[in-house]
Amino acid sequence: MLTIEDCDFTTHKFRQLCEAISSTYPTVTMNEYLNNKHPERFILMRHDVDRMPGNSLTTAKIEHELGIRATYYFRSCKSVFKPDIICKIRDMGHEIGYHYETLSEANGNSEKAIDIFRSHLDDFRQICEVKTISMHGRPLSKYNNLNLWNNHDFRDFGIIGEAYLSAGDDLNYLSDTGRTWSFGSNLRDYIPGKNEQVFANTTADLIKLIKNEEYNNFYILTHPERWSSSISGWGLYYSADLAVNIGKKILMKRNSESQGMRRIRNNSLSITVDIEDWYHIPSVSGSAFSVYKDVNEFFEKWNDRYDYLSEPTKRILDILDEFNITATFFVVADIAEHYPGLIELISERGHEIACHGAHHTCSIDPKTKKPLMSVEEFETSTLEAKNILEKISGQEVIGYRAPNAMVTGWMLDSLEKIGFKYDSSVSVNSLYNKSDSSLKGVSSVPYYPSKGCLEPAKSRNFIEFPWAYYNMGVKVPSSGGPMLRFLGSHFIFKGLKQSLNRGHTIFYFHPIDISNEKFPSIGNGRPLYWVLKGKIVEKRIRHVLKKLDNVKKVPLRDLLGNHHGI
């Protein structure tokens, strides 16, 4: 005979899950997570109360007995919004949030939806503090309630975060949606941009995963109405889940494209090109370990041919025309002196001109991250470079990319001070960190950097456009450049595709990557740097552009009024 102990998604099984959690990981609320008030290892427990609020009181009591603090998101409908239950759960030390669905309620009318949101949020705040919110999926509605924030900002309401939109890459998300932890029947219950999933079919599987302590952080979502305390209740909800899952699969089959490709095509990509020649790389000039101190010394001592840049740059311009792409060109300012007419040609073809430094000199030591020049020297040389590029191109130069991607918070402060509006230098990855910041909370989507560092801020009149990366347990840069040459187009495409799931991202390359000529064999410490280049790299660039042909491509300057992902 079937007993409650034999079944999954019961209060009996929920207690076993909580016992496993309390014995292995500390728990945090969504508010604590977003305020960085948490240890290095933790589990974030979240509960979406869609119906049957009495069940949430049961799960809250079990958690309270075991010392677990969680976040409970309640819908605003009369059958769920029960102040007495909400207050009891709050008094146990759990966080209360608003489980909004107002875009569906307003039939897609954004302004009406935000008015409903404001009214319902006020109702919640009459009885408790609400600092975080969570979208209700409404799978049978054609409106995705997360899209409410395409035209509005939840921070305007004193909300510090949204349970889906504000979750970081550090969290391993698992949800009981569809009566499984494996995401098989999820239409909208996923973290935007989070592609690396941890899977468990049953709650017993999840308990084993937790007890193994293989992962630092879990983000676990349950729906308390699913966790029954009787066989009859379990049977009723099992039947309901089965019917809903069949409906979801029909909807998913009807949509010809996967959720992932739809998200990719709704986001945009910037093609960026770094205009520098072979002698600009750090093994030759401009770094702490180069042959020549800087470009000026290179030209003082070099008496042979130097221009390996002009011809492949013209080929890159033709490739961009072929794919109908307007790109952003980050140009080293001394190109103006040594390559007459090249900057003008790029500008005349309609592309954005941005700054890649005065002489492609590193501003910080790659190992110690200590400054190699003063703030005043950096500002003077960079402003001079900006003025040179503006005079020649006839464009306002508002974007910057640090030479060799060596970037710091103080550099961004200086860039903002001298008139730049964005930077695109930050590369989040597990292989190296070319900045002086931890980059905690940074992914591959645009963000506002904090003053004095590179971590995200709530707002600022300056934007960082970080590079793409591929997360396969470790994060590997996949925005292009040397990784395109050494890892190939298939890997780069996978990383760009994954990054596009998160939001806007960057693909970049150098014209000298496709040069078919042999470069002079000088340089310290990087003998294999140019072992792969030429036609094979040009073929890889074309392959990536063709694979992403349906993705909207925009120069970075066009994104300043539409900060994708911020």
Side-chain angles (χ1 to χ4, degrees):
M1 180 179 176
L2 186 69
T3 67
I4 198 71
E5 287 80 11
D6 299 322
C7 302
D8 202 351
F9 300 104
T10 63
T11 52
H12 175 76
K13 191 64 71 175
F14 184 81
R15 179 177 287 277
Q16 290 181 341
L17 173 62
C18 290
E19 287 171 348
I21 291 170
S22 65
S23 65
T24 52
Y25 290 86
T27 56
V28 299
T29 65
M30 181 62 72
N31 192 344
E32 290 168 336
Y33 167 72
L34 294 175
N35 280 304
N36 293 316
K37 296 179 179 179
H38 57 76
E40 183 178 354
R41 299 176 69 257
F42 62 87
I43 289 181
L44 196 166
M45 287 291 285
R46 167 183 148 209
H47 307 288
D48 288 356
V49 186
D50 294 347
R51 53 191 66 85
M52 299 170 63
N55 278 31
S56 64
L57 190 58
T58 300
T59 58
K61 287 178 179 178
I62 292 172
E63 290 170 326
H64 182 60
E65 290 172 14
L66 295 168
I68 293 173
R69 298 178 65 243
T71 300
Y72 282 78
Y73 291 107
F74 283 80
R75 293 171 68 191
S76 60
C77 55
K78 291 183 179 179
S79 61
V80 175
F81 183 70
K82 301 295 184 182
D84 57 332
I85 291 177
I86 291 172
C87 290
K88 287 178 181 178
I89 293 176
R90 176 204 62 193
D91 292 344
M92 293 179 199
H94 301 299
E95 178 191 1
I96 302 297
Y98 171 27
H99 199 31
Y100 66 96
E101 52 192 309
T102 58
L103 200 59
S104 295
E105 292 175 298
N107 293 317
N109 186 317
S110 177
E111 295 308 315
K112 183 178 179 182
I114 203 67
D115 287 339
I116 297 172
F117 177 89
R118 181 183 294 106
S119 176
H120 290 334
L121 182 61
D122 288 343
D123 291 340
F124 276 91
R125 284 176 168 167
Q126 292 295 317
I127 57 174
C128 60
E129 181 183 51
V130 174
K131 300 298 290 183
T132 69
I133 55 175
S134 169
M135 172 272 296
H136 177 46
R138 291 276 288 260
L140 300 183
S141 170
K142 65 179 181 180
Y143 301 107
N144 185 338
N145 289 296
L146 282 179
N147 291 337
L148 178 65
W149 310 117
N150 291 345
N151 302 312
H152 303 281
D153 190 339
F154 52 72
R155 288 167 291 198
D156 293 339
F157 298 88
I159 297 297
I160 64 170
E162 205 281 343
Y164 291 100
L165 297 177
S166 304
D169 276 353
D170 57 327
L171 297 174
N172 295 292
Y173 183 64
L174 293 118
S175 167
D176 69 354
T177 296
R179 211 174 189 82
T180 178
W181 302 97
S182 65
F183 296 88
S185 299
N186 282 3
L187 280 172
R188 292 173 181 149
D189 189 6
Y190 55 82
I191 303 302
K194 180 72 174 177
N195 295 277
E196 310 78 34
Q197 304 289 4
V198 176
F199 296 99
N201 288 317
T202 67
T203 304
D205 293 334
L206 177 56
I207 290 171
K208 289 179 182 177
L209 198 63
I210 291 169
K211 286 184 175 180
N212 286 340
E213 299 186 59
E214 181 179 349
Y215 298 93
N216 274 355
N217 308 319
F218 287 97
Y219 179 6
I220 297 175
L221 165 65
T222 81
H223 299 78
E225 71 269 16
R226 179 166 285 120
W227 300 77
S228 306
S229 57
S230 67
I231 284 292
S232 59
W234 180 89
L236 286 172
Y237 215 91
Y238 176 85
S239 301
D241 273 339
L242 185 63
V244 170
N245 286 346
I246 291 172
K248 285 181 179 179
K249 290 184 183 297
I250 292 172
L251 288 174
M252 293 167 80
K253 187 175 181 180
R254 186 179 298 168
N255 298 331
S256 59
E257 293 180 293
S258 69
Q259 290 283 338
M261 279 309 295
R262 285 205 302 275
R263 291 197 300 276
I264 285 176
R265 292 184 180 183
N266 286 334
N267 288 323
S268 59
L269 173 70
S270 287
I271 307 300
T272 67
V273 184
D274 289 2
I275 298 296
E276 60 196 62
D277 213 335
W278 64 277
Y279 59 84
H280 284 112
I281 68 171
S283 62
V284 180
S285 67
S287 79
F289 61 91
S290 57
V291 175
Y292 300 99
K293 177 183 177 182
D294 52 33
V295 169
N296 289 333
E297 183 178 292
F298 169 80
F299 276 102
E300 287 173 6
K301 298 181 178 180
W302 186 258
N303 296 314
D304 206 344
R305 175 188 170 189
Y306 63 85
D307 181 5
Y308 292 82
L309 174 64
S310 296
E311 186 274 332
T313 298
K314 293 171 184 176
R315 280 197 285 130
I316 288 293
L317 290 170
D318 291 339
I319 292 171
L320 294 174
D321 282 349
E322 179 184 334
F323 285 90
N324 194 29
I325 292 170
T326 301
T328 298
F329 281 71
F330 290 94
V331 183
V332 179
D334 65 33
I335 295 295
E337 178 182 354
H338 302 292
Y339 305 80
L342 191 60
I343 299 173
E344 294 92 327
L345 178 62
I346 297 168
S347 182
E348 287 166 2
R349 299 281 278 267
H351 301 287
E352 177 186 8
I353 300 296
C355 181
H356 199 25
H359 304 289
H360 207 262
T361 300
C362 293
S363 298
I364 61 171
D365 185 282
K367 292 183 179 180
T368 67
K369 312 301 171 60
K370 293 182 179 179
L372 296 175
M373 62 179 71
S374 68
V375 172
E376 292 75 16
E377 288 172 329
F378 174 76
E379 291 178 0
T380 299
S381 65
T382 307
L383 181 58
E384 181 181 357
K386 183 178 190 292
N387 291 337
I388 289 171
L389 295 173
E390 288 180 336
K391 182 178 181 180
I392 292 176
S393 68
Q395 299 182 24
E396 181 186 9
V397 173
I398 59 174
Y400 180 85
R401 175 167 289 162
N404 303 305
M406 298 289 183
V407 65
T408 68
W410 65 261
M411 289 169 62
L412 300 196
D413 294 348
S414 291
L415 291 172
E416 183 178 21
K417 176 182 174 182
I418 62 179
F420 287 91
K421 296 181 181 178
Y422 73 83
D423 173 74
S424 181
S425 308
V426 170
S427 177
V428 176
N429 66 86
S430 303
L431 306 182
Y432 55 77
N433 183 353
K434 291 187 174 184
S435 77
D436 64 348
S437 295
S438 67
L439 302 182
K440 184 176 181 180
V442 180
S443 67
S444 58
V445 298
Y447 70 98
Y448 302 112
S450 299
K451 293 277 189 179
C453 71
L454 299 175
E455 275 71 43
K458 289 185 177 181
S459 64
R460 186 176 179 179
N461 292 322
F462 190 88
I463 300 171
E464 175 63 40
F465 291 101
W467 299 358
Y469 62 81
Y470 182 44
N471 193 335
M472 51 183 186
V474 294
K475 299 174 182 177
V476 181
S478 60
S479 49
M483 293 300 174
L484 176 66
R485 300 202 306 272
F486 290 110
L487 299 181
S489 57
H490 179 68
F491 180 89
I492 295 299
F493 171 71
K494 289 178 71 173
L496 288 170
K497 180 180 176 182
Q498 191 184 89
S499 297
L500 280 164
N501 270 311
R502 302 183 190 104
H504 179 83
T505 198
I506 301 291
F507 177 45
Y508 91 96
F509 44 83
H510 311 82
I512 52 174
D513 292 340
I514 68 167
S515 173
N516 294 313
E517 299 191 66
K518 180 177 173 58
F519 298 158
S521 53
I522 62 168
N524 290 330
R526 296 184 178 182
L528 301 178
Y529 194 73
W530 295 114
V531 69
L532 288 172
K533 64 178 186 66
K535 290 182 180 179
I536 186 172
V537 178
E538 179 176 345
K539 185 177 180 180
R540 290 173 178 179
I541 291 171
R542 289 179 176 276
H543 177 75
V544 171
L545 295 180
K546 186 175 181 179
K547 291 280 283 185
L548 296 172
D549 187 54
N550 291 323
V551 177
K552 182 180 180 182
K553 301 173 188 69
V554 291
L556 289 170
R557 66 188 175 199
D558 290 359
L559 293 171
L560 294 188
N562 187 15
H563 311 158
H564 296 217
I566 294 182

